[in-house]
Amino acid sequence: MSRGLLALALTAFAIAGLAPLAVMLARVAPSDLGRLLDARTLALLGRTLAYGIGVASIALAVGLPFGFLVARTDMPLARTLRPLGIVPLLFPPMILAMVWTVVADIRGAPAAYFVSALNTFPLVALFSARAFERIDGRQEEAARLCGGLRAVIRCDLPLVLPAALSGACLAFVFTVNDFSVPDYVSWVGTKFNVYADEIFATWKIDSAPGRAVATALPLVALTLLTLLPALALRRKGALASLSGDFRQPATLRIGVWRWPAFAFCVAVLVLGVAIPVARLVWEAGGGQRGFALAHIATSFQLAIERS
């Protein structure tokens, strides 16, 4: 990258990223920092941390095999399923929450974990698929001669894991900084508060911008502490298996596992793509207004809580 482009990028980052933070920090008074260590704040931060780790773990458990199957195996329709795997990431998470609270009537923490993992697993799948394609074919051939497909997977996994973990870190960041899903799925039933919700409530409802900015500082720090290893892991995963005379890896034949693998990928896409799209089409085409009814219910609940 040229020095001019680097300087332009740094300038844009300073104007769009750092300057707003500096302006917001100017609103913080010493008294606003006093609530950062109270029991409620620490409990919400701990719950949010567990929520983010749980969602990232589910995204890793689903996205890593999905990326491997669609990128490297002879699974049926792999080339078709691969781009479809990106679609859940393109949905606003609130839309997925609206769909699944109507379709399956799931609420509370389980719904939040499910919807957020469904929304973020493509991050892991994308990074994993690309990493599996960057493994030298000769290395895989040697592993196959020694122990077949299992040996190939054992050989490839350490090379792909940094990229997959990088995607999981991004899934964590997306999750802990969004309160719309936990807030929406827990309007009815047991409330599932997260830290970002507390920041929004302090700013919007309590009208205390200085305290809201102060409350946001631990979440900003947690995000930065997660992004730094994500970038390092991404770089390590991208460079782990490249060499000067790189040879494209061959498609792996998985034999009797072709159809179970296909069923797994289709099931994931049915949950993340087919059902949400079908419900949106149903609503748009004049079907029962489930979203409208849910909105009325949540508005009524909000009025009761505020009264």
Side-chain angles (χ1 to χ4, degrees), residues 162-163 165-166 169 226-240:
L165 289 174
S166 178
C169 288
T226 307
L227 287 176
L228 291 177
L231 294 174
L233 287 166
R234 177 68 181 130
R235 186 171 185 273
K236 181 180 179 181
L239 300 177

Side-chain angles (χ1 to χ4, degrees), residues 55 58-59 62 85 87-89 96 100 112-122 267-273 276:
V55 169
I58 299 171
V62 175
V87 176
L89 184 63
L96 291 178
W100 281 105
Y113 277 83
F114 172 74
V115 170
S116 296
L118 200 60
N119 182 239
T120 57
F121 90 87
V268 172
L269 293 179
V270 166
L271 295 176
V273 180

Side-chain angles (χ1 to χ4, degrees), residues 196-212:
D197 195 7
E198 181 75 4
I199 298 170
F200 176 79
T202 304
W203 184 291
K204 191 70 175 178
I205 299 176
D206 298 342
S207 298
R211 182 150 49 87

Side-chain angles (χ1 to χ4, degrees), residues 151-216:
V152 171
I153 295 176
R154 287 197 299 267
C155 178
D156 288 354
L157 191 57
L159 299 175
V160 175
L161 198 55
L165 289 174
S166 178
C169 288
L170 293 181
F172 174 89
V173 170
F174 279 36
T175 300
V176 299
N177 283 279
D178 174 61
F179 69 89
S180 63
V181 171
D183 187 62
Y184 187 85
V185 300
S186 61
W187 275 119
V188 178
T190 304
K191 186 66 176 173
F192 182 61
N193 288 325
V194 293
Y195 199 81
D197 195 7
E198 181 75 4
I199 298 170
F200 176 79
T202 304
W203 184 291
K204 191 70 175 178
I205 299 176
D206 298 342
S207 298
R211 182 150 49 87
V213 173
T215 305

Side-chain angles (χ1 to χ4, degrees), residues 88-141:
L89 184 63
L90 305 180
F91 281 119
M94 184 69 165
I95 293 296
L96 291 178
M98 292 171 69
V99 167
W100 281 105
T101 52
V102 171
V103 171
D105 195 27
I106 53 175
R107 299 284 179 176
Y113 277 83
F114 172 74
V115 170
S116 296
L118 200 60
N119 182 239
T120 57
F121 90 87
L123 292 167
V124 181
L126 283 169
F127 285 15
S128 301
R130 186 58 181 149
F132 273 112
E133 292 176 331
R134 297 172 70 88
I135 296 173
D136 197 298
R138 291 165 300 183
Q139 181 174 329
E140 285 193 347
E141 290 174 5

